[in-house]
Each structure stands twice: as C-alpha cells, then as structure tokens.
Amino acid sequence: MELTAFIIKAIIILVIFGLTLLIAMYSTYGERKVAGFIQDRLGPDRAGPWGLLQPLADAGKMFFKEDFIPAQANKWLFIAGPCLAMLTALMASAVIPFGSTLRYDGIEVAVQGVEANIGILYIFGVVSLGVYGIMVGGWASNNKFSLLGAIRAASQNISYEVAMGLSIVAILMMSESLSVGSIVAQQHGGNWNIWYQPLGFIIFLTCAFAECNRTPFDLPECETELVGGYHTEYSSMKLGFYLFAEYINMFISSAVVSALYFGGYNYPGMDWVYTQLTAAFGDIAGHNVATLLGTAVFFGKALFGVFFFMWVRWTLPRFRYDQLMNLGWKGLIPLAILNILITGIGVLFIQPSLTAFLK
Amino acid sequence: MNPTLSFFYFLSFLTILSAIMVVVSRSPIHSVLYLILTFFCLSGHYILLNAQFLAAVNIIVYAGAIMVLFLFVIMFLNMKEEEEKFRGNVTKIAAAIVGGTIFIILFGAYRKTQVGTYNPYEFKSQTGMVESLGMVLFRDYLLPFELASVLFLIAMVGAVMLGKREIGERHF
C-alpha cells in the first residue's frame, strides 16, 4: 500500500518536473512566435513543420558552442552561477498543487509534489534565493559590466520581494492558511481570490514581472549600458541555463498566480462536470478524469499567464532604473499596505455583517 | 542507526564544517557563501525538530535578504587589494585574544548551567507548527511581540533618517 502511494507520487513529481522543462523549452519557441505575430512577421518556421523543432535546434547550438571560462574568473563560482539559477528556478514547483486528488486502489494521492503547511513561505523563500545564481555568476565573471548587471538584478529583486510579500499577506488573511493546497481548495468553483483581491493581484503580478527580470523591468540585461548584463561572459550551455531559468521562472510565477488568484484547478461548473463524469465512468475513474480535467485547466491558466508575459514584453516599453525603484518603493509598497488594511477591515467587519445580513 | 539520527549527524557535520570554513576561507565572498550554507544546515535542523515555519523564515530572512545584502557590500568593496591588510601579526594576536576571551566566558558560563532533562516521549510534534506558534505569539506574548515590532520600526526609520541625503547635497 505504502509502495503504490510512493510510486504514484514519484510518477506525479517526475511528470510535473518534465512538463515544467518541456513548457520552458517551448516557451522560447512561443516567445518568438508571439513576437513575430505582434510585429507582423512569421517567426521561426525553418526547423520542422511551423518551426516546431526550433527549440531542439537551439539546444543543439548551445551544446556545441565553445564553453569558455575567462582567465581571471573565479572558476568554481563561475560554474556554480548557472547551476544555482536552474536549481532555484526548478525548486519552487514542489509545493504547487497542479490538481486535486487521484484515486487508485483505495489510495488518494494529491497531484502535488509536497503538501507543506508552510507552502507559500517555501515558494517565497525559493524566490528570494533566485538572486544568488545571478549575483554569484555576475561576480565570478570578473567583469565590471557583469557585476553591475548582477547588482541591478539583485537590488531589483530585493525591492520587489517586499511588495510581493505584502500582497501575499492579504491573501493569507483571507484564507487563514499558509498551505497553497488549502488556499486553492478554498477557491472552489468560480469563487476565485481575484474577485476579492483585485489590487493585490495587480501588485503581485507587477512584482512577478520584476522578479523574473522581464520587460518592462528587464534592466539587468541592457545592451546599450551594460553590454549583456550579468551573463556577458557566459557562453555555450551555461548561458543557455541562465536563459532557460528565466523561462522556468516565468512558468512557475504564472502557476503561482493562477493558484493564488485564479483558483488553480477550480473552474465554474466543476461540480456539475464532476457528477456527470462520475455518473458516466463510475466513482473512481470519473474522479480521476475530473482531476485530470482540473489539471488541464490549471495548465491552461498558467500557459495563458506565460502568454501574458510575452504579450507585455513585445508591446510595452521598459522603465528607467530610477522609475523602477520609485514604483517599487513609493508606489507598490504603500499600495500593498493599504490593501492589507482594506482586507483586514473586510475580514473583520464587512464579512460578518454581510453574512448576518444574508441570513 | 535510524535514518533520522544519521541524517542529524550528517547535518551537524555539514553545519560545523561550513561554519569553520566561514572563518578559515581567505576570500570574503567564499566566507559569505559558506555562511549561507550554514544557514541552510540550521534550517535543516529546524525541520528535523518539526519547526517548519522557523525553517522557512530562517531561509527567507537570513539567506534570502540579509546575506544578499552582505554579498552586495562585499562585491562592491573589491577586497583583493586590501586582503594583505587583514593578515598582519597584530591583527592575528588581537583576534586570538578576543576570541579566546569569549570562549573562556562561554565555557565558564555553560559549565555550571543545568541542561533540562529531556524526555523524547513527551515531545509534542505540533509545537513548531505555524498554527500553534501564532497562538502563542498573539495570545500569550502579544505585548512583547508588538513592542518588538515597534522597535524594528524605529530601527528602520532611524536607518532611513541616517542614510538620507541632506537638502542641497549633490545628487549624482
């Protein structure tokens, strides 16, 4: 019994891991296609049908390029930089609930790597560690431009983490739980958090853009000022890992946004679908099909999030660095504190009086 | 040996090793990175004690925020040229005296203290969970908690006041 549960869990974790990598890989293709569509051109279309093999061609190119380490660089830390970036990017998906439960042989297994009662703090901690990959790599390159790019990335991430944490606090006050699993379970049906937390959602989304170093906040990479930013000295697959980590981060933050604000695997009318499916396929198979449907909905939301990241990148101009810092410290943090106050008033006074009124 | 115990020994070994490396390593950047590793090992100890909230907060606050700022400052200092300054004999002797004195004080203090007897069968596994921690903090220790947060606020405002530029100073 223990062993089957373990095997199912292992399969779920491996599938989530593989899907994360696959989605990150095809995000590079999607990015260029979206860019092509927005700029009224075709995008990649040479490798395979509709250019579908383009990510493989890119990976082949990355692997066969010369792997160069500058003579004055700190060799170990130079290698550790991209490793840390990939590690921290992949670690966050462990606590995200990608679906409800799967039933097999009388066991119920959640479609989630680990159900931790501090899940959201774990995600927050891993996100705050993401800085190290960039800083270590940028410093070890022994190049002024890399160092400046790394410092920019790090200060940006630290600044926006504060507002991000404060916007999460409002969610925690409503859901009274730190576990991502129960936060998602509370948004059953169409009862999503975004209806209650529109301001918090906007703050969180802005901070997610800044944490991923994406346009309009992609100042760590700036050709005109910094050559290439923190990965100026990197070549071959080490550079590939840095770029790849960015796409993984994009997918993970979209997944977190959809879990916290868009109900995760919940969708309107899911109870009706559930009863129809259990009536059609029987209790166990129907439950599993409903769960897989929820997981598909989750991935749909997360992929729309990734598309949104790209959409913004190719339509909005970027900020200047002082504007970015002003927005973070003077705009988002006071707004997030205001949001916490409003949420507190809502939870303490408005919600009880509303429920009393409706009764 | 049961797996938890062997894991505990492995983690303790790693903690002490990385703590020693913080002191021994020559490059300050390496020191900081070993210190981060030490914090991770300590978080591992918290998890072994079933204090998950403390483990996560330790990572977020120390490894995620404070050590990033340390790394920040040290990267800007460009220590390579100044390295020689720290290795004079006078510095070494002074450091040895200070460290030795602290060691003697700690040794003298801990030699007489009674370590409370500990019964593993009475260990409550839920003590370190975030729910019970919140109950204790906001019910039994509400006033000290609020006072500590006011203290933090004062420190923060003070730091901003000290770091602020005076009016009329040049902005670059």
Side-chain angles (χ1 to χ4, degrees):
Chain A
M1 209 67 145
E2 285 258 300
L3 191 67
T4 25
F6 181 76
I7 289 172
I8 294 174
K9 204 79 177 175
I11 290 172
I12 289 172
I13 289 174
L14 280 179
V15 165
I16 288 173
F17 182 71
L19 268 179
T20 311
L21 288 179
L22 188 77
I23 287 173
M25 189 170 149
Y26 268 89
S27 299
T28 62
Y29 169 78
E31 171 107 53
R32 290 178 210 180
K33 275 289 182 195
V34 170
F37 177 71
I38 287 171
Q39 297 171 347
D40 199 16
R41 52 190 175 82
L42 279 176
D45 67 340
R46 295 291 126 176
W50 307 291
L52 271 176
L53 297 178
Q54 188 66 36
L56 293 178
D58 280 337
K61 184 195 81 173
M62 285 290 189
F63 271 115
F64 287 115
K65 272 166 93 174
E66 186 190 355
D67 193 4
F68 187 77
I69 298 180
Q72 292 295 310
N74 187 325
K75 200 178 162 207
W76 286 109
L77 291 184
F78 191 79
I79 297 171
C83 301
L84 281 173
M86 277 298 271
L87 182 75
T88 48
L90 283 169
M91 263 163 68
S93 63
V95 293
I96 297 173
F98 286 91
S100 134
T101 54
L102 284 177
R103 281 183 196 150
Y104 176 79
D105 201 13
I107 321 168
E108 207 154 346
V109 188
V111 188
Q112 183 182 15
V114 187
E115 165 59 36
N117 67 346
I118 46 145
I120 191 74
L121 285 180
Y122 171 84
I123 292 177
F124 196 62
V126 171
V127 164
S128 67
L129 292 179
V131 182
Y132 284 116
I134 293 171
M135 279 190 91
V136 166
W139 180 80
S141 307
N142 196 24
N143 177 331
K144 295 264 188 310
F145 292 116
S146 299
L147 182 62
L148 283 174
I151 297 285
R152 269 193 180 184
S155 42
Q156 174 177 327
N157 280 19
I158 295 172
S159 310
Y160 277 78
E161 249 161 44
V162 182
M164 188 184 233
L166 289 175
S167 67
I168 291 176
V169 166
I171 288 277
L172 300 184
M173 284 163 74
M174 281 179 50
S175 59
E176 298 178 352
S177 170
L178 286 172
S179 142
V180 190
S182 65
I183 290 176
V184 172
Q186 281 172 15
Q187 310 176 46
H188 192 77
N191 189 22
W192 298 349
N193 274 337
I194 185 168
W195 313 130
Y196 309 102
Q197 290 285 337
L199 184 60
F201 166 68
I202 291 168
I203 295 167
F204 190 90
L205 193 70
T206 317
C207 294
F209 272 85
E211 293 285 328
C212 293
N213 296 329
R214 291 284 295 187
T215 327
F217 307 107
D218 63 340
L219 291 142
E221 301 164 47
C222 188
E223 285 84 0
T224 46
E225 299 155 23
L226 291 175
V227 189
Y230 57 87
H231 50 57
T232 304
E233 296 284 354
Y234 280 90
S235 59
S236 182
M237 203 55 207
K238 292 205 193 75
L239 173 69
F241 275 152
Y242 269 126
L243 303 181
F244 206 58
E246 183 185 315
Y247 284 97
I248 297 173
N249 277 331
M250 258 165 68
F251 172 67
I252 299 293
S253 25
S254 309
V256 172
V257 166
S258 79
L260 290 185
Y261 291 97
F262 289 101
Y265 51 79
N266 297 304
Y267 51 95
M270 60 190 289
D271 290 327
W272 182 79
V273 173
Y274 185 81
T275 42
Q276 294 292 315
L277 281 173
T278 41
F281 296 110
D283 251 355
I284 292 174
H287 178 85
N288 286 346
V289 171
T291 300
L292 289 179
L293 206 62
T295 309
V297 169
F298 186 97
F299 274 100
K301 286 170 187 167
L303 288 181
F304 179 77
V306 173
F307 168 71
F308 189 76
F309 268 90
M310 293 165 184
W311 189 9
V312 168
R313 173 165 180 183
W314 295 103
T315 45
L316 287 186
R318 65 180 1 177
F319 279 71
R320 220 171 50 217
Y321 202 71
D322 59 323
Q323 290 173 332
L324 170 115
M325 282 296 163
N326 277 341
L327 177 70
W329 287 98
K330 295 180 186 167
L332 291 181
I333 292 177
L335 265 183
I337 293 173
L338 182 75
N339 188 35
I340 290 176
L341 280 179
I342 295 172
T343 312
I345 293 168
V347 170
L348 275 183
F349 302 116
I350 299 176
Q351 199 186 15
S353 54
L354 258 186
T355 40
F357 177 73
L358 287 178
K359 270 176 190 172
Chain B
M1 206 193 285
N2 84 44
T4 319
L5 198 63
S6 47
F7 190 66
F8 168 76
Y9 278 121
F10 171 71
L11 211 56
S12 307
F13 169 74
L14 206 62
T15 317
I16 292 169
L17 184 75
S18 48
I20 289 173
M21 288 307 286
V22 175
V23 184
V24 171
S25 59
R26 297 231 152 145
S27 153
I29 294 273
H30 287 153
S31 284
V32 171
L33 292 176
Y34 279 119
L35 193 53
I36 294 164
L37 188 62
T38 315
F39 284 132
F40 269 96
C41 296
L42 288 180
S43 276
H45 282 294
Y46 288 138
I47 288 175
L48 278 186
L49 291 169
N50 219 6
Q52 302 170 359
F53 179 73
L54 213 53
V57 167
N58 187 40
I59 294 280
I60 292 173
V61 173
Y62 283 98
I66 293 180
M67 293 324 284
V68 172
L69 294 178
F70 264 58
L71 209 57
F72 224 82
V73 173
I74 288 172
M75 279 178 180
F76 265 132
L77 286 181
N78 201 9
M79 288 288 201
K80 267 182 193 146
E81 291 119 41
E82 294 167 73
E83 235 170 3
E84 295 303 316
K85 211 165 64 185
F86 295 110
R87 285 197 214 147
N89 272 333
V90 183
T91 332
K92 273 183 189 166
I93 293 167
I97 290 171
V98 171
T101 319
I102 290 175
F103 175 73
I104 290 169
I105 293 168
L106 284 180
F107 188 73
Y110 282 119
R111 206 167 59 91
K112 291 278 173 68
T113 34
Q114 297 279 323
V115 178
T117 47
Y118 164 68
N119 183 3
Y121 298 102
E122 282 173 12
F123 179 70
K124 293 195 193 78
S125 64
Q126 298 301 308
T127 309
M129 292 291 168
V130 58
E131 288 88 0
S132 41
L133 190 69
M135 284 297 174
V136 171
L137 268 186
F138 287 102
R139 187 166 287 162
D140 301 347
Y141 296 99
L142 183 63
L143 186 67
F145 182 77
E146 294 291 334
L147 286 180
S149 60
V150 170
L151 192 69
F152 276 123
L153 188 68
I154 292 170
M156 213 162 77
V157 172
V160 171
M161 277 300 291
L162 289 177
K164 217 174 81 172
R165 286 197 185 92
E166 297 288 328
I167 301 164
E169 210 175 319
R170 269 186 73 183
H171 290 251
F172 289 100

